[in-house]
Amino acid sequence: MLKKLLKQEFLATTRVMGILYLVMLVLAMGNQLLVNSLGELGELVRALILLMAMACGLATVPVMIVRFKQNLLGDEGYLMLTLPVSVHQHLWSKLIVSAVWSALSALMTALALNIIRYGSEGADMPLISINGTPLTFGGDGLLVAELVVLGLVGVCTICLQFYAALAAGHGFSRHKMLLSAVWFVGLNAATSLLIELLPSPDLHFRGNLMADVHQAVWLIIAGTAAVGAAYYAITVYCLQRHLNLS
Amino acid sequence: MAVLEYREVTKLYGGVAALDGVDLTIEPGRIVGLLGPNGCGKSTFLKLACGLLAPTAGEIEICGGRPGQPATHAQVSFLPERMAVPVWMTAAQLVDFYQDFYGDFRRDVALQMLSDLHIDPALRVREMSKGTREKVQLILAMSRAALLYLLDEPIGGVDPATRDYILSTIIANYNPEASVIVSTHLIADVEKLLDEVVFLQNGQVILHDEVDHLRESRGMSVDALFREVFKC
C-alpha cells in the first residue's frame, strides 16, 4: 500500500512542484535577458531574481506541510483516512515524498543559481565557497554524503514538527489553526528545554579534524532523528486517537 | 455475526454529548435508515463507525474488527456528506485511485454508472456541478463490494430523477449479505428501500424497529411517523 500512496503523493505534488521549478528556470533564464538590457538597474534585478529563485527552492517544505493538512486534516481526510492503509504508511509516504522533493529542489536551486551567475562577475568562482576558496569538504565524499543525510533527516524533522502541531491542533473542535500554532510553539519550547537539560555528549576528539567532524555530524544526525521520532509519535497518536475532522 | 455493534457509545464535543450511550446492533443483509433532525448525531454516528472520530466512552465493533483499522476499512464503504475526493482529479483518475486501494472495487460497475449518468470520465471534479460531484462520490462508494456501506446524505444534492436512479443503484449494487446504513432527511424517497429505521434524538436512539412492523403497529409511513415524533 505504501507504493500506491507514494504514487498518489507524487501525482498530487508534481503539479505544484513542477510549476515552482518552471518558475525558477524561467526566472533564471529571464535574468540573462533583463540584466543585459537594463544596464545599471541590472544588478538590482539580478539580486531580486536570485532571491525569488531561492524562495521557490525553499517553498518545498511549506508545500509539503500544506499538502499534509489538506490531504489528511481537511475534507480529503474523509477519503484518505478511510483507505485500508495505516497511519504509519500515510506518514512515511509523506516524509519520503518531502525528502525526494527537497533533494530535487536543492539541485534545481543550484542549477538556477548557476544559470543566473552565468556571464556575470565571479561566474568562474565555485558556487559553494568562502572568499573565493571552494569548499571541498576535505575531498571527503563520506562527509558530503553525511551532510546530505543530515539535510534529509532535518527536512523530515521539520515536516514532522509541523505535522505533530497540526494533528494535535486539529484534535480540538474549534480554533484548530490557532491551537496548531500554540502546539508548534510548545513543541519548539519543549525541544529546546530538553536539549538544554540533557547532559552534553561525551565527545572524544582524537586530534584528527576530519574524524572529529564525522563524529560531530553523526551526533547531530542522531539528535535530529530522535527529535523527529518524538514528533512522529505525537502525530501518530493524534491521528489514531484524537482525530476530530470537522 | 453483526456487521456493526455499538455498546454504550458516547461522544462528547467539549462537554456536549453528540452521542449519548448508544446501544445498537445491525445484522448483515439489512438496509437501515438513520433518521433524525439536524444535529441529532447522525454524522457523528457514521464518523465513529469509520474511525474518523474516537468515542469518548463505549465500544464499537465493525465487521468483527475495530473502527479505524486498515482491515476494517477494507470492508467498509463510506460516503461522507462532504466532497472528499481531490478536486484536481478526473472521474477516470478517481476510478483508478479506488481500484488501486480497494480489492473489492468493481471498475466495470463504476464505468457503467458514469456512463448511465452521462458523466464524462475525462472531466475534472473541480469542473463538475455540485450534483455531479455527489453522483461521482456515490458511484465510487457503491462500486465496491463491501460488507457495510455507510452513506451520509447520499441523495441530498441531486434532482428527483437522479435520486431514483441512485436509489435503484443502491439496491442493485450492494451485496445481499452486506448492510447499508443511510443517513438522510429525504425519508419519503428512501422509505421504500429500508428494512429498519433508527431514530436519533439528542444523541440517543429513541426508536429502532423494522419498517414493516412500524407501519403495521403505528398505522402510518415512516415519513409520517418521523414528522409526528420530531414535530417542532
Side-chain angles (χ1 to χ4, degrees):
Chain A
M1 283 295 176
L2 184 60
K3 271 187 191 171
K4 292 170 182 176
L5 280 176
L6 284 170
K7 177 183 146 191
Q8 291 303 325
E9 280 301 302
F10 277 118
L11 266 178
T13 49
T14 298
R15 297 171 313 116
V16 182
M17 296 310 296
I19 292 171
L20 277 179
Y21 294 161
L22 195 65
V23 170
M24 274 168 82
L25 290 179
V26 168
L27 283 173
M29 289 195 262
N31 164 76
Q32 293 298 335
L33 300 172
L34 280 172
V35 170
N36 292 336
S37 59
L38 287 177
E40 287 184 1
L41 264 177
E43 284 309 309
L44 181 63
V45 173
R46 184 196 297 276
L48 278 174
I49 288 176
L50 195 72
L51 282 175
M52 286 165 73
M54 288 175 76
C56 285
L58 291 172
T60 309
V61 170
V63 166
M64 296 303 134
I65 291 161
V66 169
R67 165 80 186 152
F68 173 83
K69 182 186 173 295
Q70 284 181 342
N71 192 234
L72 295 185
L73 302 173
D75 286 349
E76 278 181 32
Y78 284 86
L79 173 69
M80 298 307 292
L81 294 169
T82 51
L83 292 175
V85 167
S86 69
V87 167
H88 295 283
Q89 287 171 321
H90 275 301
L91 275 182
W92 276 108
S93 73
K94 290 192 166 23
L95 289 176
I96 291 168
V97 170
S98 300
V100 169
W101 282 124
S102 297
L104 262 178
S105 294
L107 291 175
M108 289 299 293
T109 308
L111 176 65
L113 293 184
N114 271 317
I115 294 172
I116 290 170
R117 284 171 1 127
Y118 183 75
S120 67
E121 274 181 44
D124 52 339
M125 281 168 55
L127 190 60
I128 306 174
S129 61
I130 298 173
N131 293 332
T133 308
L135 264 182
T136 58
F137 303 102
D140 190 343
L142 179 62
L143 182 59
V144 176
E146 286 168 352
L147 290 174
V148 169
V149 172
L150 176 60
L152 295 177
V153 171
V155 164
C156 290
T157 301
I158 290 169
C159 286
L160 281 166
Q161 186 176 358
F162 279 97
Y163 294 172
L166 284 166
H170 282 68
F172 294 91
S173 303
R174 291 180 186 175
H175 311 302
K176 291 170 191 271
M177 283 312 291
L178 178 67
L179 290 165
S180 298
V182 171
W183 263 92
F184 185 83
V185 173
L187 286 175
N188 239 350
T191 307
S192 303
L193 188 68
L194 204 65
I195 291 168
E196 287 289 321
L197 291 177
L198 282 175
S200 298
D202 190 16
L203 286 173
H204 298 286
F205 291 107
R206 289 160 285 190
N208 178 339
L209 179 66
M210 285 314 292
D212 293 342
V213 169
H214 284 304
Q215 190 183 20
V217 172
W218 276 112
L219 198 67
I220 297 168
I221 290 173
T224 310
V227 172
Y231 295 152
Y232 180 93
I234 293 170
T235 312
V236 169
Y237 179 78
C238 291
L239 289 179
Q240 283 181 337
R241 303 289 175 85
H242 290 281
L243 192 63
N244 201 5
L245 292 181
S246 300
Chain B
M1 186 179 68
V3 286
L4 181 67
E5 195 167 352
Y6 275 53
R7 291 189 285 269
E8 286 295 316
V9 173
T10 295
K11 175 65 184 174
L12 301 176
Y13 288 117
V16 179
L19 281 189
D20 187 4
V22 169
D23 270 310
L24 188 72
T25 301
I26 304 295
E27 297 296 334
R30 313 295 288 170
I31 302 183
V32 182
L34 187 64
L35 313 174
N38 292 331
C40 68
K42 298 191 295 291
S43 291
T44 300
F45 181 98
L46 295 179
K47 283 196 248 178
L48 283 164
C50 292
L52 290 173
L53 294 176
T56 310
E59 284 183 12
I60 300 171
E61 197 172 310
I62 186 162
C63 302
R66 290 180 54 192
Q69 302 296 314
T72 313
H73 287 319
Q75 300 184 75
V76 178
S77 184
F78 175 51
L79 174 73
E81 189 182 12
R82 288 163 179 258
M83 180 47 53
V85 295
V87 293
W88 56 270
M89 279 189 169
T90 64
Q93 283 175 319
L94 284 169
V95 168
D96 292 341
F97 178 93
Y98 265 69
Q99 193 172 19
D100 259 1
F101 285 100
Y102 295 109
D104 60 7
F105 186 72
R106 297 167 296 182
R107 185 184 184 87
D108 52 335
V109 172
L111 294 175
Q112 184 59 51
M113 284 198 268
L114 284 173
S115 166
D116 289 347
L117 290 171
H118 311 292
I119 299 170
D120 179 3
L123 201 63
R124 290 190 190 282
V125 174
R126 72 157 64 92
E127 294 161 350
M128 296 174 185
S129 67
K130 184 172 175 282
T132 306
R133 291 177 181 193
E134 291 190 7
K135 287 177 207 169
V136 169
Q137 279 210 143
L138 184 73
I139 287 169
L140 294 167
M142 293 312 299
S143 295
R144 288 186 54 203
L147 278 181
L148 177 63
Y149 297 84
L150 301 171
L151 312 178
D152 197 357
E153 296 287 354
I155 53 173
V158 296
D159 59 83
T162 308
R163 209 174 286 168
D164 287 342
Y165 175 84
I166 287 171
L167 294 175
S168 62
T169 302
I170 290 175
I171 294 178
N173 286 290
Y174 95 100
N175 170 2
E177 293 299 310
S179 288
V180 182
I181 300 180
V182 190
S183 149
T184 185
H185 287 117
L186 300 166
I187 302 163
D189 286 292
V190 298
E191 189 171 341
K192 59 190 175 217
L193 258 73
L194 304 178
D195 297 313
E196 299 174 23
V197 286
V198 174
F199 279 14
L200 273 178
Q201 189 172 37
N202 299 326
Q204 294 182 323
V205 175
I206 59 165
L207 181 128
H208 178 201
D209 205 346
E210 303 241 346
V211 169
D212 290 342
H213 180 255
L214 263 183
R215 287 201 193 102
E216 280 173 26
S217 61
R218 308 274 182 138
M220 61 177 81
S221 67
V222 175
D223 188 36
L225 180 64
F226 182 91
R227 288 169 198 274
E228 188 180 288
V229 171
F230 298 110
K231 195 173 178 181
C232 298

